[in-house]
């Protein structure tokens, strides 16, 4: 089994307890981070009709917020599409949101038409994408010119210090025990700190977004930079990566 398939299989296994584990492990703070991102973007498209794609949609939390909050800004979402390669996660998403549209697909091969959407969001999923640069090129392709990619992610901290040490202690020692107890799959929650360590710091990820044809509009850290919000605007077409490695 290739690396990407192993990651997808892991999410299939923890899907039944994913929502409760997320709320417990983040103390519910992740909801406020997601709402900030939605408010920021919906204010830009106030009183307009748009399409939104949520990649690595998981159990649909971000899609729920897009749908729920859009009316506040007079935004009409013509199409709201969730994309995820995990059948287990999508099964839970469909239970929660039976009227939403979902596609079982990888981030670098969504199957959506070019120029489909005005907003593409991906929350805590980009670090799990093995073919990340190919995925960013795909995001560029399916967004209209002037559309936005919205990324929430745990990034590697570029500077060490007390806060970094406390965060690392929580992620490596506390989180696997709690997540493992809830999901009965400690290995999956041991993966989280390693996936952050193997990801990029905020500056490096901004550079990757720029290379993929985006212009950074916002790079904002939350809760002492535990989580980072990236908002980038499509300003040019990006070349698709035709030399992707095996999953």
């Amino acid at each position: 089994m290739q690396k990407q398939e192993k990651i997808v299989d892991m999410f299939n296994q923890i899907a039944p307890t994913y929502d409760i584990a997320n709320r417990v492990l983040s103390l519910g703070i992740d909801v406020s981070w997601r709402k900030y991102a939605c408010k920021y973007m919906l204010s830009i498209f106030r009183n307009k009709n748009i399409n939104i794609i949520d990649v690595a949609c998981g159990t649909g939390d971000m899609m729920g917020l897009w749908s729920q909050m859009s009316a506040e800004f007079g935004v009409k979402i013509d199409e709201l599409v969730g994309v995820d390669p995990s059948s287990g996660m999508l099964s839970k998403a469909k239970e929660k949101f039976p009227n939403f549209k979902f596609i079982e697909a990888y981030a670098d091969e969504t199957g959506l038409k070019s120029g489909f959407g005005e907003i593409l969001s991906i929350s805590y999923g980009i670090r799990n994408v093995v073919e990340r640069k190919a995925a960013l090129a795909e995001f560029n392709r399916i967004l209209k010119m002037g559309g936005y990619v919205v990324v929430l992610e745990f990034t590697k901290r570029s500077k060490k210090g007390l806060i970094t040490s406390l965060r690392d202690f929580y992620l490596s020692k506390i989180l696997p025990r709690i997540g493992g107890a809830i999901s009965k799959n400690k290995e999956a929650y041991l993966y989280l700190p390693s996936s952050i360590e193997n990801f990029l710091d905020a500056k490096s990820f901004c550079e990757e977004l720029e290379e993929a044809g985006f212009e950074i509009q916002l790079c904002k850290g939350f809760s002492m930079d535990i989580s980072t919000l990236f908002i980038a605007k499509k300003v040019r077409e990006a070349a698709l990566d035709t030399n992707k490695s095996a999953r």
Side-chain angles (χ1 to χ4, degrees):
M1 189 182 291
Q2 299 296 329
K3 183 177 180 181
Q4 188 69 80
E5 290 176 339
K6 286 182 179 178
I7 294 171
V8 172
D9 184 60
M10 179 192 73
F11 279 103
N12 283 334
Q13 292 176 38
I14 63 174
T17 57
Y18 186 76
D19 282 344
I20 187 170
N22 259 13
R23 296 294 93 82
V24 170
L25 292 169
S26 71
L27 303 176
I29 298 173
D30 67 300
V31 176
S32 68
W33 302 335
R34 293 169 191 266
K35 285 183 175 180
Y36 184 99
C38 290
K39 284 182 179 179
Y40 187 99
M41 286 311 311
L42 291 169
S43 66
I44 291 175
F45 289 97
R46 190 182 294 273
N47 300 322
K48 292 182 176 161
N49 288 42
I50 60 173
N51 293 337
I52 299 177
I53 311 114
D54 189 46
V55 178
C57 65
T59 64
D61 278 358
M62 194 69 174
M63 296 176 72
L65 287 176
W66 285 124
S67 178
Q68 173 190 327
M69 297 174 66
S70 59
E72 178 185 345
F73 296 87
V75 173
K76 184 177 187 302
I77 303 176
D78 291 329
E79 290 196 63
L80 174 60
V81 182
V83 179
D84 201 293
S86 167
S87 58
M89 288 290 187
L90 290 180
S91 178
K92 296 298 292 183
K94 290 171 185 176
E95 287 177 17
K96 291 163 63 177
F97 304 107
N99 296 323
F100 288 1
K101 180 180 178 181
F102 297 99
I103 299 172
E104 187 175 332
Y106 287 97
D108 57 334
E109 294 179 295
T110 64
L112 291 166
K113 67 181 182 181
S114 298
F116 172 79
E118 281 80 9
I119 297 173
L120 183 149
S121 58
I122 178 166
S123 305
Y124 309 105
I126 194 65
R127 75 181 187 285
N128 299 316
V129 177
V130 174
E131 298 290 349
R132 187 175 62 247
K133 290 189 177 182
L136 295 181
E138 174 74 346
F139 297 172
N140 180 290
R141 182 188 70 79
I142 61 179
L143 280 170
K144 294 177 181 176
M145 188 61 69
Y148 293 81
V149 62
V150 180
V151 182
L152 276 163
E153 193 50 273
F154 301 115
T155 51
K156 186 190 295 186
R157 295 177 71 98
S158 54
K159 295 181 181 178
K160 297 295 183 183
L162 177 60
I163 299 301
T164 303
S165 298
L166 289 173
R167 185 187 84 155
D168 290 350
F169 177 78
Y170 175 74
L171 290 174
S172 62
K173 304 297 183 184
I174 308 299
L175 183 144
R177 292 188 178 185
I178 299 174
I182 294 171
S183 67
K184 310 301 182 198
N185 189 331
K186 187 175 180 180
E187 184 180 351
Y189 287 91
L190 284 168
Y191 164 80
L192 177 61
S194 66
S195 69
I196 297 171
E197 188 58 34
N198 291 327
F199 189 53
L200 306 171
D201 60 27
K203 181 176 181 293
S204 298
F205 186 59
C206 283
E207 290 171 357
E208 279 200 358
L209 285 165
E210 288 170 345
E211 288 171 9
F214 296 97
E215 183 179 88
I216 305 301
Q217 305 292 299
L218 181 70
C219 178
K220 178 180 175 61
F222 294 106
S223 301
M224 296 175 289
D225 293 337
I226 290 174
S227 175
T228 307
L229 169 64
F230 304 87
I231 294 179
K233 185 176 184 178
K234 177 178 173 177
V235 293
R236 61 179 172 82
E237 301 291 344
L240 293 176
D241 185 352
T242 57
N243 299 304
K244 293 183 289 184
S245 61
R247 296 188 195 283

